[in-house]
Amino acid sequence: MNVETTDLAIIGAGPAGLAAACEARTLGLSVTVLDEQSAVGGQIYRNVVSAPRARSAILGPDYSAGAELVSAFASSGALHLDSAVVWNVATDGTIDYIREGRTRKLSGKYVLLASGAMERPFPIEGWTLPGVMGAGAAQILLKSAGALPREPVVLAGCGPLLYLLGWQYLRAGARIAALVDTTATSDYVRASRHLMGALRSWKELRKGLGLIAALRRSNIALYSGCSDLRAEGTCKVEALAFRQDGRSVRIPTSLLLVHQGVVPNTQLSWSVKAEHRWNKAQLCWEPVTDIWGRLGETALYVAGDSRSIVGAQASAVQGRLAALSIGNRLGVLPDITIRAAPYLESLKRYTAIRPFLDALYRPKDENRVPVSDKVVVCRCEEVTAGQIRRFVGLGCQGPNQTKAFGRCGMGPCQGRFCGLTVTETIARERQLEPADVGYYRIRPPIKPVLLGDFVE
Amino acid sequence: MLTEPLFSIPASEGRETVTIIFDDQAVTAPAGISVAAALLVAGASDFRTSIVGHEPRAPYCMMGVCFECLVEIDGVPARQSCLVPVKDGMIVRRQQGAVSLPDSEIGDGR
Ligand SMILES: Cc1cc2nc3c(=O)[nH]c(=O)nc-3n(C[C@H](O)[C@H](O)[C@H](O)COP(=O)(O)OP(=O)(O)OC[C@H]3O[C@@H](n4cnc5c(N)ncnc54)[C@H](O)[C@@H]3O)c2cc1C
Ligand code: FES
């Protein structure tokens, strides 16, 4: 097979990947960016170039701001491979990807993993019913297709993206039946300790408060401090039931959008057997890197939300820092300190708000480790929380063994949607820390490959 | 089977359209959107049945991570419809039961 080569190959054309490409090009490096989407922008700036003006207006200024980075990338001289699905990466910088129905190879002297975040799964009763989706998924429908809910929608959970979608729906004239917020008074108390630090990111803080104020001013029904969330229905969702202030509430709806933050998409870094640690504040795994994002002694770097949840602006800065370090290693930037200094400063500023956000929107224990045994944890193989607890009783020590006990994590999503829940459920059962229980062993291909893809 | 759609695309978005066939029914959709988006807007309420309990399932993440949106596209089974753009004349079928990936390998050491 013919192997193309490049100085820097980047997986992911979101803020981290695009900014890294621009920075690397200013150093004269050859750059190829691969993304499985048909257009650049990643999650936050999805479709930003081709979105009609009315849609951009609904999505707001933070979305439109992406056009600047996208156009800088377009004129940077980096090569963009769209609709390129990466299914394997090796620590020496070799990449296997599928494009136009054929698998191909690319070899980078260095490779930047910038595959971003995914919404944290929301394992509650009924979450597998059609009509229950992630709030981020609904936002993708808005960004990529201009699609809006037809009937009044229920938003449930917590976190900036949930409120942002609510705000965008209000602007679009979509009807919101209720916003069911799981944030409780105790969360505000916990977060208040981090408020001083957060003030260093005052612009972000003000924006967030503005969104919430707009939702409060609107006449949608707001419920806060909600618990015991359950999606009801038989063939599709019919209502959201929950408890608030000791009373039971049931809100009929055909569309329930749930969200409780985003977590790094670590599939690629796990697949190269990189070391990962459990982030106690963000309740998720993250790859262990040096300050530039390099994974051990490999040709691989990680930047952006796939390294740790930092948000779009900090993701872009991390991408630039990784590019500088790679330039330094390739000998085109002998002194990295001067160029890196302002980026390291802005990274501090952009991430100052994180401890506050992590504390305030810490997803509730009951929405991460299901209380009811009936809740489906592994959606692909339909393994419940009760079954996982039973496996532990039978001697199952960690996520890898749940595969043998009941095929948990062996479906097509390869544990992306059950892994965190399985780790935390087992840890709780065994009274250990998640770090001691570990995660699934992820092996390539990390995306389905058909035999036909190998035919020349 | 198509029912009341959960999502709609405002007429103001007005764009070139394409037609795809979903389980023998013609579905019109704006060019460039994903197959999953087109089906949701057309009123497909379930895309596949789960492999153990045979329960109806529909897209959850729309970004390629949950694999709930698997359908058969132009004869190829188990394609992630949230990642595939619609093309005129595309033939899409609901994925029934076991995600049969006879020709594929999914990285799990199986
Ligand atoms: C659904 C969703 C919506 C969000 N919306 C917003 C928002 O509106 N505002 C906001 O501030 N933050 C939003 N976020 C948070 C946001 O993801 C980040 O802050 C920011 O986009 C992170 O940038 P990134 O470059 O690290 O990753 P991303 O922007 O996520 O980009 C990663 C890219 O990698 C590609 N990719 C991943 N795996 C592969 C593979 N195997 N092969 C090929 N390509 C691959 C993806 O297609 C994607 O384009 C959202 C997150 C999610 C999950
Ligand atoms: S909807 Fe999740 S993979 Fe397509």
Side-chain angles (χ1 to χ4, degrees), chain A residues 230-241:
Chain A
R230 195 173 70 232
E232 295 183 346
T234 43
C235 293
K236 52 187 183 181
V237 68
E238 287 156 24
L240 172 69

Side-chain angles (χ1 to χ4, degrees), chain A residues 12 14-16 35-37 42-44 84 86 114 116 139 143 164 305 311-312:
Chain A
D35 198 299
E36 63 188 356
Q37 293 189 47
Q43 295 308 339
I44 177 166
V86 175
Q139 200 209 34
K143 285 177 182 168
L164 174 61
D305 275 0

Side-chain angles (χ1 to χ4, degrees), chain B residues 19-51:
Chain B
T19 301
I20 65 172
I21 310 292
F22 177 58
D23 280 358
D24 303 325
Q25 267 180 285
V27 166
T28 310
I33 74 173
S34 68
V35 172
L39 296 183
L40 285 171
V41 170
S45 66
D46 63 298
F47 282 49
R48 66 179 189 100
T49 47
S50 66
I51 60 170

